[in-house]
Amino acid sequence: SQKIEQNSEALNIQEGKTATLTCNYTNYSPAYLQWYRQDPGRGPVFLLLIRENEKEKRKERLKVTFDTTLKQSLFHITASQPADSATYLCAPGGYQKVTFGTGTKLQVIP
Amino acid sequence: NAGVTQTPKFRVLKTGQSMTLLCAQDMNHEYMYWYRQDPGMGLRLIHYSVGEGTTAKGEVPDGYNVSRLKKQNFLLGLESAAPSQTSVYFCASRPDRTPHNTGELFFGEGSRLTVL
């Protein structure tokens, strides 16, 4: 069966450090992978997308990698700030049915 | 531009009652989705629609029905509410994927439903 796994436990890091979140998928062949941010009590908001033929994508302090052999995407936030504290969700793309990982809750400690 | 609007935002039901959640989008999107989110469970897809007049089951469709009579609206119905349906419900929409867009989902603010 299809499965999307993200770090199940919350991730606590010190302000200024780099946060690395993992998204592993099983029985998908996504054409791309999306990352979203969700704040408490709000709907998720799209952050960025990486295509299967892209190894790495950057947007300001965000960097995403995509390894189709490992079936994994890594999401990095460099120079993390308390305002980056949120839950981050990944979603394999290229399908009509869009499903998400359980999300990783990131807490950046001042 | 309102984006995706969910109605109502909060509702308390008694077991066995019925209700309908309305999702409206003003972006002319083809695809619409209903998710539920429970603590520790992430977003789980209930039903989705790839166009007006079409619906399809997601991961957890039991106990829910949907309709997409108009392109801009996607309704989620609970015919006989159960305590297990206490959750936060999110609606989302997206355009048909093209090389010129990211296919990103646009979410509503959620509807918090409690079934007693």
Side-chain angles (χ1 to χ4, degrees), chain A residues 68-91:
Chain A
T68 55
T69 301
L70 291 178
K71 298 187 183 298
Q72 180 182 80
S73 176
L74 298 179
F75 179 85
H76 307 272
I77 305 176
T78 58
S80 60
Q81 303 167 359
D84 295 325
S85 298
T87 296
Y88 293 85
L89 302 148
C90 67

mmCIF file of all heavy atoms in Angstrom, chain A residues 68-91:
data_model
loop_
_atom_site.group_PDB
_atom_site.id
_atom_site.type_symbol
_atom_site.label_atom_id
_atom_site.label_comp_id
_atom_site.label_asym_id
_atom_site.label_seq_id
_atom_site.Cartn_x
_atom_site.Cartn_y
_atom_site.Cartn_z
ATOM 1 N N THR A 68 14.890 10.234 -6.122
ATOM 2 C CA THR A 68 13.866 9.264 -6.557
ATOM 3 C C THR A 68 14.355 7.822 -6.370
ATOM 4 O O THR A 68 13.529 6.917 -6.311
ATOM 5 C CB THR A 68 13.483 9.500 -8.029
ATOM 6 O OG1 THR A 68 14.659 9.464 -8.823
ATOM 7 C CG2 THR A 68 12.786 10.838 -8.191
ATOM 8 N N THR A 69 15.670 7.635 -6.253
ATOM 9 C CA THR A 69 16.184 6.280 -6.003
ATOM 10 C C THR A 69 15.921 5.886 -4.553
ATOM 11 O O THR A 69 15.453 4.779 -4.283
ATOM 12 C CB THR A 69 17.689 6.223 -6.294
ATOM 13 O OG1 THR A 69 17.915 6.601 -7.649
ATOM 14 C CG2 THR A 69 18.240 4.826 -6.062
ATOM 15 N N LEU A 70 16.193 6.799 -3.648
ATOM 16 C CA LEU A 70 15.933 6.553 -2.233
ATOM 17 C C LEU A 70 14.461 6.733 -1.876
ATOM 18 O O LEU A 70 14.037 6.369 -0.783
ATOM 19 C CB LEU A 70 16.771 7.494 -1.366
ATOM 20 C CG LEU A 70 18.268 7.273 -1.341
ATOM 21 C CD1 LEU A 70 18.945 8.321 -0.459
ATOM 22 C CD2 LEU A 70 18.610 5.866 -0.838
ATOM 23 N N LYS A 71 13.705 7.329 -2.793
ATOM 24 C CA LYS A 71 12.288 7.663 -2.545
ATOM 25 C C LYS A 71 12.186 8.561 -1.314
ATOM 26 O O LYS A 71 11.449 8.274 -0.353
ATOM 27 C CB LYS A 71 11.451 6.394 -2.390
ATOM 28 C CG LYS A 71 11.432 5.516 -3.640
ATOM 29 C CD LYS A 71 10.461 4.372 -3.506
ATOM 30 C CE LYS A 71 10.494 3.468 -4.716
ATOM 31 N NZ LYS A 71 10.105 4.163 -5.959
ATOM 32 N N GLN A 72 12.941 9.643 -1.385
ATOM 33 C CA GLN A 72 13.036 10.522 -0.233
ATOM 34 C C GLN A 72 13.223 11.972 -0.663
ATOM 35 O O GLN A 72 13.898 12.270 -1.651
ATOM 36 C CB GLN A 72 14.233 10.098 0.619
ATOM 37 C CG GLN A 72 14.459 10.932 1.864
ATOM 38 C CD GLN A 72 15.696 10.457 2.611
ATOM 39 O OE1 GLN A 72 16.835 10.778 2.258
ATOM 40 N NE2 GLN A 72 15.474 9.698 3.672
ATOM 41 N N SER A 73 12.618 12.861 0.124
ATOM 42 C CA SER A 73 12.863 14.288 -0.029
ATOM 43 C C SER A 73 13.302 14.829 1.330
ATOM 44 O O SER A 73 12.752 14.449 2.375
ATOM 45 C CB SER A 73 11.605 15.010 -0.497
ATOM 46 O OG SER A 73 11.812 16.414 -0.555
ATOM 47 N N LEU A 74 14.293 15.704 1.305
ATOM 48 C CA LEU A 74 14.735 16.382 2.514
ATOM 49 C C LEU A 74 14.413 17.861 2.392
ATOM 50 O O LEU A 74 14.604 18.464 1.334
ATOM 51 C CB LEU A 74 16.245 16.193 2.719
ATOM 52 C CG LEU A 74 16.734 14.763 2.913
ATOM 53 C CD1 LEU A 74 18.246 14.743 3.074
ATOM 54 C CD2 LEU A 74 16.063 14.115 4.102
ATOM 55 N N PHE A 75 13.943 18.426 3.493
ATOM 56 C CA PHE A 75 13.543 19.837 3.544
ATOM 57 C C PHE A 75 14.403 20.509 4.596
ATOM 58 O O PHE A 75 14.393 20.100 5.765
ATOM 59 C CB PHE A 75 12.053 19.908 3.906
ATOM 60 C CG PHE A 75 11.486 21.284 4.032
ATOM 61 C CD1 PHE A 75 11.030 21.965 2.916
ATOM 62 C CD2 PHE A 75 11.376 21.892 5.267
ATOM 63 C CE1 PHE A 75 10.480 23.225 3.033
ATOM 64 C CE2 PHE A 75 10.831 23.158 5.394
ATOM 65 C CZ PHE A 75 10.374 23.824 4.275
ATOM 66 N N HIS A 76 15.178 21.516 4.177
ATOM 67 C CA HIS A 76 16.097 22.195 5.084
ATOM 68 C C HIS A 76 15.664 23.643 5.276
ATOM 69 O O HIS A 76 15.308 24.316 4.308
ATOM 70 C CB HIS A 76 17.518 22.200 4.513
ATOM 71 C CG HIS A 76 18.033 20.848 4.129
ATOM 72 N ND1 HIS A 76 18.682 20.005 5.022
ATOM 73 C CD2 HIS A 76 18.002 20.187 2.943
ATOM 74 C CE1 HIS A 76 19.025 18.893 4.388
ATOM 75 N NE2 HIS A 76 18.623 18.968 3.135
ATOM 76 N N ILE A 77 15.721 24.098 6.513
ATOM 77 C CA ILE A 77 15.548 25.525 6.810
ATOM 78 C C ILE A 77 16.853 25.982 7.436
ATOM 79 O O ILE A 77 17.218 25.537 8.535
ATOM 80 C CB ILE A 77 14.389 25.789 7.797
ATOM 81 C CG1 ILE A 77 13.093 25.173 7.283
ATOM 82 C CG2 ILE A 77 14.215 27.299 8.008
ATOM 83 C CD1 ILE A 77 11.928 25.304 8.259
ATOM 84 N N THR A 78 17.568 26.849 6.749
ATOM 85 C CA THR A 78 18.828 27.347 7.285
ATOM 86 C C THR A 78 18.581 28.597 8.119
ATOM 87 O O THR A 78 17.564 29.283 7.947
ATOM 88 C CB THR A 78 19.815 27.675 6.151
ATOM 89 O OG1 THR A 78 19.199 28.650 5.285
ATOM 90 C CG2 THR A 78 20.125 26.447 5.326
ATOM 91 N N ALA A 79 19.521 28.857 9.041
ATOM 92 C CA ALA A 79 19.422 30.027 9.932
ATOM 93 C C ALA A 79 18.011 30.116 10.514
ATOM 94 O O ALA A 79 17.335 31.146 10.404
ATOM 95 C CB ALA A 79 19.794 31.302 9.178
ATOM 96 N N SER A 80 17.571 29.045 11.127
ATOM 97 C CA SER A 80 16.178 28.959 11.579
ATOM 98 C C SER A 80 15.836 30.047 12.602
ATOM 99 O O SER A 80 16.687 30.514 13.365
ATOM 100 C CB SER A 80 15.913 27.582 12.163
ATOM 101 O OG SER A 80 16.768 27.343 13.250
ATOM 102 N N GLN A 81 14.581 30.427 12.577
ATOM 103 C CA GLN A 81 14.070 31.483 13.458
ATOM 104 C C GLN A 81 12.839 30.957 14.205
ATOM 105 O O GLN A 81 12.152 30.061 13.706
ATOM 106 C CB GLN A 81 13.661 32.697 12.618
ATOM 107 C CG GLN A 81 14.771 33.251 11.751
ATOM 108 C CD GLN A 81 14.260 34.233 10.721
ATOM 109 O OE1 GLN A 81 13.059 34.501 10.623
ATOM 110 N NE2 GLN A 81 15.167 34.778 9.930
ATOM 111 N N PRO A 82 12.526 31.519 15.379
ATOM 112 C CA PRO A 82 11.308 31.076 16.088
ATOM 113 C C PRO A 82 10.058 31.151 15.214
ATOM 114 O O PRO A 82 9.152 30.333 15.360
ATOM 115 C CB PRO A 82 11.236 32.050 17.262
ATOM 116 C CG PRO A 82 12.662 32.388 17.542
ATOM 117 C CD PRO A 82 13.324 32.444 16.178
ATOM 118 N N ALA A 83 10.018 32.104 14.283
ATOM 119 C CA ALA A 83 8.860 32.235 13.385
ATOM 120 C C ALA A 83 8.728 31.054 12.425
ATOM 121 O O ALA A 83 7.677 30.887 11.787
ATOM 122 C CB ALA A 83 8.967 33.531 12.589
ATOM 123 N N ASP A 84 9.762 30.225 12.323
ATOM 124 C CA ASP A 84 9.690 29.031 11.472
ATOM 125 C C ASP A 84 8.976 27.888 12.186
ATOM 126 O O ASP A 84 8.698 26.846 11.579
ATOM 127 C CB ASP A 84 11.097 28.555 11.082
ATOM 128 C CG ASP A 84 11.835 29.559 10.220
ATOM 129 O OD1 ASP A 84 11.180 30.235 9.394
ATOM 130 O OD2 ASP A 84 13.074 29.678 10.367
ATOM 131 N N SER A 85 8.685 28.043 13.455
ATOM 132 C CA SER A 85 7.998 27.000 14.207
ATOM 133 C C SER A 85 6.614 26.759 13.612
ATOM 134 O O SER A 85 5.800 27.683 13.504
ATOM 135 C CB SER A 85 7.861 27.400 15.686
ATOM 136 O OG SER A 85 9.130 27.566 16.268
ATOM 137 N N ALA A 86 6.368 25.524 13.224
ATOM 138 C CA ALA A 86 5.119 25.154 12.555
ATOM 139 C C ALA A 86 5.190 23.662 12.273
ATOM 140 O O ALA A 86 6.187 23.009 12.564
ATOM 141 C CB ALA A 86 4.939 25.921 11.242
ATOM 142 N N THR A 87 4.130 23.137 11.661
ATOM 143 C CA THR A 87 4.157 21.760 11.173
ATOM 144 C C THR A 87 4.365 21.799 9.669
ATOM 145 O O THR A 87 3.750 22.602 8.970
ATOM 146 C CB THR A 87 2.842 21.043 11.516
ATOM 147 O OG1 THR A 87 2.709 20.959 12.936
ATOM 148 C CG2 THR A 87 2.822 19.631 10.936
ATOM 149 N N TYR A 88 5.248 20.941 9.191
ATOM 150 C CA TYR A 88 5.580 20.902 7.769
ATOM 151 C C TYR A 88 5.128 19.569 7.187
ATOM 152 O O TYR A 88 5.396 18.502 7.742
ATOM 153 C CB TYR A 88 7.083 21.112 7.581
ATOM 154 C CG TYR A 88 7.504 22.506 7.974
ATOM 155 C CD1 TYR A 88 7.798 22.811 9.296
ATOM 156 C CD2 TYR A 88 7.558 23.527 7.025
ATOM 157 C CE1 TYR A 88 8.147 24.111 9.668
ATOM 158 C CE2 TYR A 88 7.914 24.814 7.392
ATOM 159 C CZ TYR A 88 8.196 25.100 8.709
ATOM 160 O OH TYR A 88 8.530 26.386 9.073
ATOM 161 N N LEU A 89 4.441 19.659 6.056
ATOM 162 C CA LEU A 89 3.831 18.489 5.426
ATOM 163 C C LEU A 89 4.387 18.311 4.018
ATOM 164 O O LEU A 89 4.634 19.302 3.314
ATOM 165 C CB LEU A 89 2.312 18.687 5.310
ATOM 166 C CG LEU A 89 1.542 18.935 6.601
ATOM 167 C CD1 LEU A 89 0.357 19.818 6.357
ATOM 168 C CD2 LEU A 89 1.091 17.626 7.180
ATOM 169 N N CYS A 90 4.544 17.053 3.611
ATOM 170 C CA CYS A 90 4.951 16.783 2.235
ATOM 171 C C CYS A 90 3.835 16.031 1.518
ATOM 172 O O CYS A 90 3.018 15.351 2.157
ATOM 173 C CB CYS A 90 6.248 15.986 2.183
ATOM 174 S SG CYS A 90 6.143 14.298 2.822
ATOM 175 N N ALA A 91 3.813 16.163 0.205
ATOM 176 C CA ALA A 91 2.798 15.496 -0.606
ATOM 177 C C ALA A 91 3.384 15.116 -1.954
ATOM 178 O O ALA A 91 3.855 15.998 -2.694
ATOM 179 C CB ALA A 91 1.575 16.399 -0.812
#
